[in-house]
Amino acid sequence: MNDLQGDNDNQVVFKDLLDNAADIVTVIDAQGIILYQSTAITTYLGFLPKDVIGKSIFAFLHPDDLYYTIKAFAGLMTGEDTDRIVTRLRNNQDH
């Protein structure tokens, strides 16, 4: 039981760190569905975390970056060695 409590404590600390980070931190699953969204998204893009969790990350990409990002993401999912993916995101005003 103590081990489980320690894991829960670690999760709380980790979530607090992410929620207070200046950077936008997004956790997605293998299909691109947003599982976690830090609160910094509100500052930079105007969305509330609850507005994006459960939605596809691809719905928030700049249209000019969509093809490249989907291709790079698919490569990641098949084990391709991808260092990073740089893409632009739309804000809540669709810009």
Side-chain angles (χ1 to χ4, degrees), residues 63-93:
D64 293 345
D65 296 347
L66 189 58
Y67 174 78
Y68 159 78
T69 306
I70 289 173
K71 184 176 175 185
F73 183 78
L76 280 174
M77 295 299 101
T78 60
E80 187 176 303
D81 187 21
T82 302
D83 186 36
R84 65 183 170 184
I85 301 172
V86 178
T87 190
R88 295 171 288 176
L89 299 171
R90 296 183 301 106
N91 65 24
N92 69 342
Q93 302 299 313

PDB file of all heavy atoms in Angstrom, residues 63-93:
ATOM      1  N   PRO A  63      -2.547  24.605 -40.654  1.00  0.00           N
ATOM      2  CA  PRO A  63      -2.813  23.837 -41.876  1.00  0.00           C
ATOM      3  C   PRO A  63      -1.574  23.582 -42.739  1.00  0.00           C
ATOM      4  O   PRO A  63      -1.453  22.512 -43.336  1.00  0.00           O
ATOM      5  CB  PRO A  63      -3.826  24.703 -42.635  1.00  0.00           C
ATOM      6  CG  PRO A  63      -4.447  25.568 -41.597  1.00  0.00           C
ATOM      7  CD  PRO A  63      -3.415  25.773 -40.526  1.00  0.00           C
ATOM      8  N   ASP A  64      -0.656  24.523 -42.786  1.00  0.00           N
ATOM      9  CA  ASP A  64       0.551  24.344 -43.598  1.00  0.00           C
ATOM     10  C   ASP A  64       1.495  23.288 -43.031  1.00  0.00           C
ATOM     11  O   ASP A  64       2.371  22.799 -43.738  1.00  0.00           O
ATOM     12  CB  ASP A  64       1.311  25.662 -43.736  1.00  0.00           C
ATOM     13  CG  ASP A  64       0.548  26.694 -44.558  1.00  0.00           C
ATOM     14  OD1 ASP A  64      -0.415  26.315 -45.257  1.00  0.00           O
ATOM     15  OD2 ASP A  64       0.907  27.885 -44.471  1.00  0.00           O
ATOM     16  N   ASP A  65       1.340  22.944 -41.754  1.00  0.00           N
ATOM     17  CA  ASP A  65       2.214  21.969 -41.103  1.00  0.00           C
ATOM     18  C   ASP A  65       1.574  20.591 -40.956  1.00  0.00           C
ATOM     19  O   ASP A  65       2.218  19.651 -40.493  1.00  0.00           O
ATOM     20  CB  ASP A  65       2.615  22.467 -39.712  1.00  0.00           C
ATOM     21  CG  ASP A  65       3.449  23.728 -39.764  1.00  0.00           C
ATOM     22  OD1 ASP A  65       3.932  24.087 -40.855  1.00  0.00           O
ATOM     23  OD2 ASP A  65       3.613  24.361 -38.705  1.00  0.00           O
ATOM     24  N   LEU A  66       0.319  20.472 -41.321  1.00  0.00           N
ATOM     25  CA  LEU A  66      -0.431  19.243 -41.065  1.00  0.00           C
ATOM     26  C   LEU A  66       0.179  18.023 -41.744  1.00  0.00           C
ATOM     27  O   LEU A  66       0.437  17.010 -41.093  1.00  0.00           O
ATOM     28  CB  LEU A  66      -1.887  19.430 -41.488  1.00  0.00           C
ATOM     29  CG  LEU A  66      -2.855  18.329 -41.086  1.00  0.00           C
ATOM     30  CD1 LEU A  66      -2.882  18.131 -39.592  1.00  0.00           C
ATOM     31  CD2 LEU A  66      -4.251  18.671 -41.589  1.00  0.00           C
ATOM     32  N   TYR A  67       0.428  18.095 -43.056  1.00  0.00           N
ATOM     33  CA  TYR A  67       0.948  16.939 -43.786  1.00  0.00           C
ATOM     34  C   TYR A  67       2.288  16.477 -43.212  1.00  0.00           C
ATOM     35  O   TYR A  67       2.476  15.302 -42.908  1.00  0.00           O
ATOM     36  CB  TYR A  67       1.093  17.249 -45.278  1.00  0.00           C
ATOM     37  CG  TYR A  67       1.754  16.124 -46.039  1.00  0.00           C
ATOM     38  CD1 TYR A  67       1.032  14.991 -46.384  1.00  0.00           C
ATOM     39  CD2 TYR A  67       3.100  16.184 -46.385  1.00  0.00           C
ATOM     40  CE1 TYR A  67       1.633  13.943 -47.058  1.00  0.00           C
ATOM     41  CE2 TYR A  67       3.712  15.147 -47.058  1.00  0.00           C
ATOM     42  CZ  TYR A  67       2.974  14.025 -47.391  1.00  0.00           C
ATOM     43  OH  TYR A  67       3.575  12.982 -48.045  1.00  0.00           O
ATOM     44  N   TYR A  68       3.218  17.398 -43.060  1.00  0.00           N
ATOM     45  CA  TYR A  68       4.544  17.070 -42.544  1.00  0.00           C
ATOM     46  C   TYR A  68       4.464  16.441 -41.148  1.00  0.00           C
ATOM     47  O   TYR A  68       5.133  15.461 -40.848  1.00  0.00           O
ATOM     48  CB  TYR A  68       5.418  18.327 -42.499  1.00  0.00           C
ATOM     49  CG  TYR A  68       6.576  18.213 -41.555  1.00  0.00           C
ATOM     50  CD1 TYR A  68       7.718  17.505 -41.909  1.00  0.00           C
ATOM     51  CD2 TYR A  68       6.527  18.782 -40.287  1.00  0.00           C
ATOM     52  CE1 TYR A  68       8.781  17.375 -41.029  1.00  0.00           C
ATOM     53  CE2 TYR A  68       7.582  18.653 -39.403  1.00  0.00           C
ATOM     54  CZ  TYR A  68       8.703  17.951 -39.779  1.00  0.00           C
ATOM     55  OH  TYR A  68       9.740  17.820 -38.906  1.00  0.00           O
ATOM     56  N   THR A  69       3.625  17.027 -40.289  1.00  0.00           N
ATOM     57  CA  THR A  69       3.535  16.545 -38.912  1.00  0.00           C
ATOM     58  C   THR A  69       2.900  15.167 -38.842  1.00  0.00           C
ATOM     59  O   THR A  69       3.367  14.302 -38.092  1.00  0.00           O
ATOM     60  CB  THR A  69       2.762  17.555 -38.045  1.00  0.00           C
ATOM     61  OG1 THR A  69       3.370  18.839 -38.187  1.00  0.00           O
ATOM     62  CG2 THR A  69       2.772  17.141 -36.592  1.00  0.00           C
ATOM     63  N   ILE A  70       1.863  14.929 -39.616  1.00  0.00           N
ATOM     64  CA  ILE A  70       1.235  13.606 -39.635  1.00  0.00           C
ATOM     65  C   ILE A  70       2.230  12.568 -40.145  1.00  0.00           C
ATOM     66  O   ILE A  70       2.334  11.469 -39.600  1.00  0.00           O
ATOM     67  CB  ILE A  70      -0.057  13.609 -40.481  1.00  0.00           C
ATOM     68  CG1 ILE A  70      -1.148  14.391 -39.747  1.00  0.00           C
ATOM     69  CG2 ILE A  70      -0.527  12.193 -40.792  1.00  0.00           C
ATOM     70  CD1 ILE A  70      -2.413  14.608 -40.551  1.00  0.00           C
ATOM     71  N   LYS A  71       2.988  12.913 -41.172  1.00  0.00           N
ATOM     72  CA  LYS A  71       3.990  11.993 -41.718  1.00  0.00           C
ATOM     73  C   LYS A  71       5.075  11.697 -40.670  1.00  0.00           C
ATOM     74  O   LYS A  71       5.451  10.540 -40.467  1.00  0.00           O
ATOM     75  CB  LYS A  71       4.616  12.596 -42.974  1.00  0.00           C
ATOM     76  CG  LYS A  71       5.588  11.683 -43.663  1.00  0.00           C
ATOM     77  CD  LYS A  71       6.098  12.314 -44.948  1.00  0.00           C
ATOM     78  CE  LYS A  71       7.167  11.425 -45.554  1.00  0.00           C
ATOM     79  NZ  LYS A  71       7.792  12.010 -46.706  1.00  0.00           N
ATOM     80  N   ALA A  72       5.555  12.713 -39.977  1.00  0.00           N
ATOM     81  CA  ALA A  72       6.578  12.519 -38.950  1.00  0.00           C
ATOM     82  C   ALA A  72       6.026  11.711 -37.783  1.00  0.00           C
ATOM     83  O   ALA A  72       6.699  10.819 -37.246  1.00  0.00           O
ATOM     84  CB  ALA A  72       7.102  13.866 -38.474  1.00  0.00           C
ATOM     85  N   PHE A  73       4.792  11.977 -37.396  1.00  0.00           N
ATOM     86  CA  PHE A  73       4.155  11.243 -36.299  1.00  0.00           C
ATOM     87  C   PHE A  73       3.989   9.775 -36.666  1.00  0.00           C
ATOM     88  O   PHE A  73       4.266   8.888 -35.847  1.00  0.00           O
ATOM     89  CB  PHE A  73       2.804  11.877 -35.964  1.00  0.00           C
ATOM     90  CG  PHE A  73       2.100  11.247 -34.800  1.00  0.00           C
ATOM     91  CD1 PHE A  73       2.497  11.534 -33.506  1.00  0.00           C
ATOM     92  CD2 PHE A  73       1.044  10.377 -34.996  1.00  0.00           C
ATOM     93  CE1 PHE A  73       1.847  10.960 -32.418  1.00  0.00           C
ATOM     94  CE2 PHE A  73       0.389   9.797 -33.923  1.00  0.00           C
ATOM     95  CZ  PHE A  73       0.791  10.090 -32.638  1.00  0.00           C
ATOM     96  N   ALA A  74       3.560   9.507 -37.890  1.00  0.00           N
ATOM     97  CA  ALA A  74       3.414   8.119 -38.344  1.00  0.00           C
ATOM     98  C   ALA A  74       4.761   7.404 -38.303  1.00  0.00           C
ATOM     99  O   ALA A  74       4.838   6.227 -37.930  1.00  0.00           O
ATOM    100  CB  ALA A  74       2.823   8.084 -39.754  1.00  0.00           C
ATOM    101  N   GLY A  75       5.827   8.104 -38.666  1.00  0.00           N
ATOM    102  CA  GLY A  75       7.162   7.527 -38.582  1.00  0.00           C
ATOM    103  C   GLY A  75       7.533   7.168 -37.159  1.00  0.00           C
ATOM    104  O   GLY A  75       8.108   6.104 -36.906  1.00  0.00           O
ATOM    105  N   LEU A  76       7.209   8.027 -36.227  1.00  0.00           N
ATOM    106  CA  LEU A  76       7.461   7.725 -34.815  1.00  0.00           C
ATOM    107  C   LEU A  76       6.730   6.468 -34.380  1.00  0.00           C
ATOM    108  O   LEU A  76       7.274   5.633 -33.661  1.00  0.00           O
ATOM    109  CB  LEU A  76       7.003   8.889 -33.932  1.00  0.00           C
ATOM    110  CG  LEU A  76       7.912  10.085 -33.808  1.00  0.00           C
ATOM    111  CD1 LEU A  76       7.225  11.181 -33.020  1.00  0.00           C
ATOM    112  CD2 LEU A  76       9.222   9.701 -33.164  1.00  0.00           C
ATOM    113  N   MET A  77       5.493   6.329 -34.811  1.00  0.00           N
ATOM    114  CA  MET A  77       4.672   5.189 -34.398  1.00  0.00           C
ATOM    115  C   MET A  77       5.157   3.874 -35.002  1.00  0.00           C
ATOM    116  O   MET A  77       4.850   2.809 -34.493  1.00  0.00           O
ATOM    117  CB  MET A  77       3.202   5.416 -34.759  1.00  0.00           C
ATOM    118  CG  MET A  77       2.553   6.565 -34.011  1.00  0.00           C
ATOM    119  SD  MET A  77       2.530   6.334 -32.226  1.00  0.00           S
ATOM    120  CE  MET A  77       3.881   7.343 -31.680  1.00  0.00           C
ATOM    121  N   THR A  78       5.947   3.950 -36.075  1.00  0.00           N
ATOM    122  CA  THR A  78       6.480   2.726 -36.689  1.00  0.00           C
ATOM    123  C   THR A  78       7.936   2.492 -36.316  1.00  0.00           C
ATOM    124  O   THR A  78       8.599   1.629 -36.891  1.00  0.00           O
ATOM    125  CB  THR A  78       6.333   2.771 -38.220  1.00  0.00           C
ATOM    126  OG1 THR A  78       7.047   3.906 -38.727  1.00  0.00           O
ATOM    127  CG2 THR A  78       4.872   2.832 -38.631  1.00  0.00           C
ATOM    128  N   GLY A  79       8.443   3.300 -35.376  1.00  0.00           N
ATOM    129  CA  GLY A  79       9.797   3.092 -34.891  1.00  0.00           C
ATOM    130  C   GLY A  79      10.873   3.848 -35.638  1.00  0.00           C
ATOM    131  O   GLY A  79      12.064   3.647 -35.392  1.00  0.00           O
ATOM    132  N   GLU A  80      10.477   4.715 -36.542  1.00  0.00           N
ATOM    133  CA  GLU A  80      11.450   5.528 -37.278  1.00  0.00           C
ATOM    134  C   GLU A  80      12.177   6.444 -36.296  1.00  0.00           C
ATOM    135  O   GLU A  80      11.588   6.987 -35.361  1.00  0.00           O
ATOM    136  CB  GLU A  80      10.711   6.353 -38.330  1.00  0.00           C
ATOM    137  CG  GLU A  80      11.588   7.110 -39.275  1.00  0.00           C
ATOM    138  CD  GLU A  80      10.748   7.819 -40.335  1.00  0.00           C
ATOM    139  OE1 GLU A  80       9.974   7.141 -41.036  1.00  0.00           O
ATOM    140  OE2 GLU A  80      10.876   9.053 -40.435  1.00  0.00           O
ATOM    141  N   ASP A  81      13.461   6.618 -36.526  1.00  0.00           N
ATOM    142  CA  ASP A  81      14.266   7.467 -35.655  1.00  0.00           C
ATOM    143  C   ASP A  81      14.009   8.932 -36.000  1.00  0.00           C
ATOM    144  O   ASP A  81      14.483   9.442 -37.000  1.00  0.00           O
ATOM    145  CB  ASP A  81      15.750   7.121 -35.813  1.00  0.00           C
ATOM    146  CG  ASP A  81      16.623   7.850 -34.827  1.00  0.00           C
ATOM    147  OD1 ASP A  81      16.108   8.297 -33.793  1.00  0.00           O
ATOM    148  OD2 ASP A  81      17.829   7.973 -35.094  1.00  0.00           O
ATOM    149  N   THR A  82      13.223   9.584 -35.167  1.00  0.00           N
ATOM    150  CA  THR A  82      12.890  10.987 -35.368  1.00  0.00           C
ATOM    151  C   THR A  82      13.352  11.758 -34.145  1.00  0.00           C
ATOM    152  O   THR A  82      12.923  11.475 -33.029  1.00  0.00           O
ATOM    153  CB  THR A  82      11.368  11.171 -35.569  1.00  0.00           C
ATOM    154  OG1 THR A  82      10.965  10.392 -36.686  1.00  0.00           O
ATOM    155  CG2 THR A  82      11.009  12.615 -35.805  1.00  0.00           C
ATOM    156  N   ASP A  83      14.220  12.708 -34.351  1.00  0.00           N
ATOM    157  CA  ASP A  83      14.777  13.483 -33.241  1.00  0.00           C
ATOM    158  C   ASP A  83      13.721  14.378 -32.607  1.00  0.00           C
ATOM    159  O   ASP A  83      13.570  14.438 -31.408  1.00  0.00           O
ATOM    160  CB  ASP A  83      15.974  14.296 -33.742  1.00  0.00           C
ATOM    161  CG  ASP A  83      16.700  15.013 -32.637  1.00  0.00           C
ATOM    162  OD1 ASP A  83      16.799  14.449 -31.532  1.00  0.00           O
ATOM    163  OD2 ASP A  83      17.168  16.134 -32.877  1.00  0.00           O
ATOM    164  N   ARG A  84      12.984  15.098 -33.440  1.00  0.00           N
ATOM    165  CA  ARG A  84      11.938  15.986 -32.955  1.00  0.00           C
ATOM    166  C   ARG A  84      11.006  16.370 -34.092  1.00  0.00           C
ATOM    167  O   ARG A  84      11.347  16.253 -35.264  1.00  0.00           O
ATOM    168  CB  ARG A  84      12.530  17.231 -32.321  1.00  0.00           C
ATOM    169  CG  ARG A  84      13.276  18.082 -33.309  1.00  0.00           C
ATOM    170  CD  ARG A  84      13.903  19.269 -32.656  1.00  0.00           C
ATOM    171  NE  ARG A  84      14.796  19.895 -33.623  1.00  0.00           N
ATOM    172  CZ  ARG A  84      15.549  20.907 -33.361  1.00  0.00           C
ATOM    173  NH1 ARG A  84      15.549  21.413 -32.162  1.00  0.00           N
ATOM    174  NH2 ARG A  84      16.314  21.422 -34.277  1.00  0.00           N
ATOM    175  N   ILE A  85       9.863  16.855 -33.711  1.00  0.00           N
ATOM    176  CA  ILE A  85       8.887  17.353 -34.672  1.00  0.00           C
ATOM    177  C   ILE A  85       8.605  18.796 -34.293  1.00  0.00           C
ATOM    178  O   ILE A  85       8.195  19.086 -33.177  1.00  0.00           O
ATOM    179  CB  ILE A  85       7.581  16.531 -34.651  1.00  0.00           C
ATOM    180  CG1 ILE A  85       7.856  15.069 -34.974  1.00  0.00           C
ATOM    181  CG2 ILE A  85       6.557  17.130 -35.613  1.00  0.00           C
ATOM    182  CD1 ILE A  85       6.649  14.167 -34.772  1.00  0.00           C
ATOM    183  N   VAL A  86       8.850  19.705 -35.206  1.00  0.00           N
ATOM    184  CA  VAL A  86       8.582  21.120 -34.971  1.00  0.00           C
ATOM    185  C   VAL A  86       7.372  21.492 -35.819  1.00  0.00           C
ATOM    186  O   VAL A  86       7.353  21.274 -37.031  1.00  0.00           O
ATOM    187  CB  VAL A  86       9.800  21.997 -35.353  1.00  0.00           C
ATOM    188  CG1 VAL A  86       9.478  23.466 -35.154  1.00  0.00           C
ATOM    189  CG2 VAL A  86      11.017  21.575 -34.552  1.00  0.00           C
ATOM    190  N   THR A  87       6.369  22.052 -35.169  1.00  0.00           N
ATOM    191  CA  THR A  87       5.145  22.404 -35.871  1.00  0.00           C
ATOM    192  C   THR A  87       4.521  23.633 -35.210  1.00  0.00           C
ATOM    193  O   THR A  87       4.838  23.967 -34.083  1.00  0.00           O
ATOM    194  CB  THR A  87       4.152  21.217 -35.871  1.00  0.00           C
ATOM    195  OG1 THR A  87       3.084  21.504 -36.739  1.00  0.00           O
ATOM    196  CG2 THR A  87       3.636  20.906 -34.490  1.00  0.00           C
ATOM    197  N   ARG A  88       3.659  24.284 -35.940  1.00  0.00           N
ATOM    198  CA  ARG A  88       2.933  25.427 -35.393  1.00  0.00           C
ATOM    199  C   ARG A  88       1.542  24.987 -34.992  1.00  0.00           C
ATOM    200  O   ARG A  88       0.945  24.113 -35.625  1.00  0.00           O
ATOM    201  CB  ARG A  88       2.841  26.541 -36.435  1.00  0.00           C
ATOM    202  CG  ARG A  88       4.195  27.131 -36.795  1.00  0.00           C
ATOM    203  CD  ARG A  88       4.098  28.062 -37.965  1.00  0.00           C
ATOM    204  NE  ARG A  88       3.876  27.262 -39.186  1.00  0.00           N
ATOM    205  CZ  ARG A  88       3.665  27.779 -40.382  1.00  0.00           C
ATOM    206  NH1 ARG A  88       3.607  29.078 -40.553  1.00  0.00           N
ATOM    207  NH2 ARG A  88       3.483  26.987 -41.434  1.00  0.00           N
ATOM    208  N   LEU A  89       1.010  25.615 -33.945  1.00  0.00           N
ATOM    209  CA  LEU A  89      -0.341  25.327 -33.479  1.00  0.00           C
ATOM    210  C   LEU A  89      -1.231  26.540 -33.687  1.00  0.00           C
ATOM    211  O   LEU A  89      -0.769  27.676 -33.626  1.00  0.00           O
ATOM    212  CB  LEU A  89      -0.314  24.973 -31.988  1.00  0.00           C
ATOM    213  CG  LEU A  89       0.511  23.754 -31.610  1.00  0.00           C
ATOM    214  CD1 LEU A  89       0.639  23.652 -30.094  1.00  0.00           C
ATOM    215  CD2 LEU A  89      -0.118  22.489 -32.180  1.00  0.00           C
ATOM    216  N   ARG A  90      -2.492  26.279 -33.919  1.00  0.00           N
ATOM    217  CA  ARG A  90      -3.474  27.358 -34.041  1.00  0.00           C
ATOM    218  C   ARG A  90      -3.862  27.843 -32.641  1.00  0.00           C
ATOM    219  O   ARG A  90      -3.852  27.061 -31.692  1.00  0.00           O
ATOM    220  CB  ARG A  90      -4.740  26.863 -34.745  1.00  0.00           C
ATOM    221  CG  ARG A  90      -4.540  26.430 -36.161  1.00  0.00           C
ATOM    222  CD  ARG A  90      -5.857  26.019 -36.817  1.00  0.00           C
ATOM    223  NE  ARG A  90      -6.520  24.916 -36.118  1.00  0.00           N
ATOM    224  CZ  ARG A  90      -7.603  25.064 -35.354  1.00  0.00           C
ATOM    225  NH1 ARG A  90      -8.151  26.238 -35.175  1.00  0.00           N
ATOM    226  NH2 ARG A  90      -8.152  24.024 -34.768  1.00  0.00           N
ATOM    227  N   ASN A  91      -4.233  29.100 -32.521  1.00  0.00           N
ATOM    228  CA  ASN A  91      -4.758  29.573 -31.244  1.00  0.00           C
ATOM    229  C   ASN A  91      -6.285  29.481 -31.251  1.00  0.00           C
ATOM    230  O   ASN A  91      -6.879  29.037 -32.233  1.00  0.00           O
ATOM    231  CB  ASN A  91      -4.264  30.989 -30.914  1.00  0.00           C
ATOM    232  CG  ASN A  91      -4.774  32.034 -31.880  1.00  0.00           C
ATOM    233  OD1 ASN A  91      -5.805  31.866 -32.531  1.00  0.00           O
ATOM    234  ND2 ASN A  91      -4.055  33.131 -31.993  1.00  0.00           N
ATOM    235  N   ASN A  92      -6.915  29.903 -30.178  1.00  0.00           N
ATOM    236  CA  ASN A  92      -8.361  29.766 -30.098  1.00  0.00           C
ATOM    237  C   ASN A  92      -9.108  30.756 -31.007  1.00  0.00           C
ATOM    238  O   ASN A  92     -10.323  30.701 -31.118  1.00  0.00           O
ATOM    239  CB  ASN A  92      -8.854  29.880 -28.655  1.00  0.00           C
ATOM    240  CG  ASN A  92      -8.698  31.261 -28.082  1.00  0.00           C
ATOM    241  OD1 ASN A  92      -7.933  32.091 -28.592  1.00  0.00           O
ATOM    242  ND2 ASN A  92      -9.396  31.528 -27.003  1.00  0.00           N
ATOM    243  N   GLN A  93      -8.378  31.636 -31.662  1.00  0.00           N
ATOM    244  CA  GLN A  93      -8.967  32.545 -32.657  1.00  0.00           C
ATOM    245  C   GLN A  93      -8.764  32.004 -34.072  1.00  0.00           C
ATOM    246  O   GLN A  93      -8.989  32.721 -35.039  1.00  0.00           O
ATOM    247  CB  GLN A  93      -8.344  33.942 -32.529  1.00  0.00           C
ATOM    248  CG  GLN A  93      -8.501  34.565 -31.168  1.00  0.00           C
ATOM    249  CD  GLN A  93      -9.956  34.762 -30.784  1.00  0.00           C
ATOM    250  OE1 GLN A  93     -10.742  35.265 -31.576  1.00  0.00           O
ATOM    251  NE2 GLN A  93     -10.312  34.363 -29.591  1.00  0.00           N
TER     252      GLN A  93
END
